[in-house]
Amino acid sequence: MPISVNPSNEAIHKLRRQAECGLAGDFFNQKASDWNNNGLDSWLDAWMISHTADIEANPYGFVGAFGRWAIGNPNWSCRDEGSEDDCDFNPCGNAVLNGKRNETRQAYYVMESVNRLHTYFNGLNQAFSSASIVAALTKDSWATTFYKDKDVKSVTALREVLNAVTAVVGAGAAFAGLGGPVTGAVAGAGAALFAGATGAISPLLGQHQDNTFQKSADLGGLLGSIVLKGMKTYINANNLLMRGENFQDTGDIRTYLKGGLFLDFPGIDKVAVIDNINAKLIGHAVNALWRSQKVFIIGGGACGDGQGIGEGPQDMAICRDGKAWYLYWWEEPGRLILNKHKYGWTQKPLGWDKLGKGDYAGVTIADVINSSLDSYKAARYAYGPETAVARAQDALQNGWGNPGAAGASWEGTFTIPVCDVGWAVAGDIRDKKYILQPTGKDYRPHWCGPICSGDVQQTRDWIGATNMANFQSPRFACPNEPPY
C-alpha cells in the first residue's frame, strides 16, 4: 500500500508559482548571493561571447539581443529617453523564458538585474533633476556668510570647490542610493560605479578654472549648474551600458552586474540621495572658504579639559575616543588699531551659526571636525581631490566604508588643518596653559613651541596649512622666537 505524504507549505507554494508563472516563478525573492551561487558572472560572459553577432545586429545592442533571446522581445531597450516602460518585463507565463529550462534561472536573474540597474540610474537622474538641489546651493551670500577678506581682494577658492566636486559626484551620486558598505562580491561593481562617475564629471571642471568670487559671486548657482550637468552623464551611462558598450573605461554592463549587486536592489530613496549630496556639496564649499582663512582644529587632551593646557570653547568641540577637539578661527582686525586687539583673537568661524539648520541642516560642527580628523589621519595636510578619489575607491573595494552614505562627515569633505596638542599635558612647553583658549576679543592663545605633537616640522606644516606662516599673533608674548 503506497504511503501518503502531505506536501510541505514550500512545495505547495512552488506548485502555485509554477502554475501561475511557470518555471521562472521558482526563482523569485532572489538575493545577491544567488548570483554567485549559480555562477552568473561566467555564464553571462559565455552568453555575450556566443551572441556577439546578435548584439551587433540589434539596434538596442546587448539588452535588445538578450530581451529577444530571453523573453522574445527584441525591442527591450532599457534606454533613458523618457519612456517609463521600455525596461519592464513580466516573467509570469512567458513561454520563451520558461522554455529555457536549464537556463531560465540565469535568464531571469540577468533581466532582473538589468531592470534594477536601469531603475537605479533613473532614480539618480530624477533625484538630481529636483529643484531642491539647486535651491540649496544657489545663494548669493556664500562669500559674506563664510568668508571675510580683510584686504577686499579677489578670492580664488572657487577652483578648489570645483576640484572637490569630482569626488562628491562620484562618491555621492554613485552610492548614496545603495546605502551601507558595498562589500564582498559586489565591491568591484561598486568601485566601477564610482570610477565612472568621477570620470564623467571631471571634464566639466576645466570650463570654470578662471572663475573667482568677484567674477561669479553666486558660487552656489555655478556649483549647482555643474553638478546638474554632471548628473546628465548618468543618462549616457545607462544607455551605453544597456547597449553593451564601455562606460568611462570601467567596463561594460557585466562589470556593473558583477557579484549580483543589483539582483535584489530595492530602489533609491530619492530624498535621502538629495539630502546626502546637498550636505556634501555644501560641506566642500564651506571647507574651501574656511581653508582660505585662518581656520583650524586643535585638541587632543581629555574631554572637558582641566589638564593644564587651557580651556577650549565647548560649543565648538567634539569628544572623540576620549579626546577633545576644538574648531577655531583666528580673526584679525579689519583696520589698524594700537590696543591689545591689534594681533587679533580666537573666534568662531564665520557662518558657524548657520550650520545644522535651514539650508545647511545637513552639515554640523561635528561633521566639520570629524571629517577633518579623518582627513588628517589619512593624509595629514595634503588631502586633495586625488586623495579623495583614491580613498573612496579603496573604501569601496575593501569594504571599510561607503562614502555616499556617510554624508558631510565623510573624510575629505572637510580638511581643516588639525594640530594634536595632547602631548603637552605631560610635556614641557612655555605658557602651555594658554595653548587652548575660549573664543572672543579678550582671548589669544600663546604657542611658544612646537605645539603639534611636540614636533617642529609638523608644527611648521600645520602653521602653513592654516595660513599663519609669518603670522606674529600666537607668538607675540613668547620671550624667544618659537622654532616653527
Side-chain angles (χ1 to χ4, degrees), residues 5-25:
V5 178
N6 292 323
S8 66
N9 287 337
E10 176 55 32
I12 292 173
H13 289 317
K14 183 174 182 178
L15 290 171
R16 286 177 178 171
R17 285 197 301 269
Q18 286 197 356
E20 295 172 358
C21 290
L23 183 59

Side-chain angles (χ1 to χ4, degrees), residues 67-78:
R68 179 171 187 168
W69 176 84
I71 58 174
N73 180 10
N75 296 315
W76 196 58
S77 70
C78 297

Side-chain angles (χ1 to χ4, degrees), residues 146 164 279-291 295 297 327 355 362-376 380 383 407-418:
F146 296 99
K280 273 192 169 60
L281 292 170
I282 288 170
H284 275 283
V286 172
N287 181 66
L289 291 168
W290 281 356
R291 283 299 309 271
V295 176
I297 292 169
L327 177 66
L355 300 183
V363 182
T364 65
I365 294 298
D367 291 331
V368 176
I369 301 176
N370 278 313
S371 175
S372 296
L373 287 173
D374 289 337
S375 301
Y376 168 75
R380 289 290 175 92
Y383 199 113
S409 64
W410 178 256
E411 66 174 59
T413 304
F414 288 91
T415 58
I416 306 300
V418 172

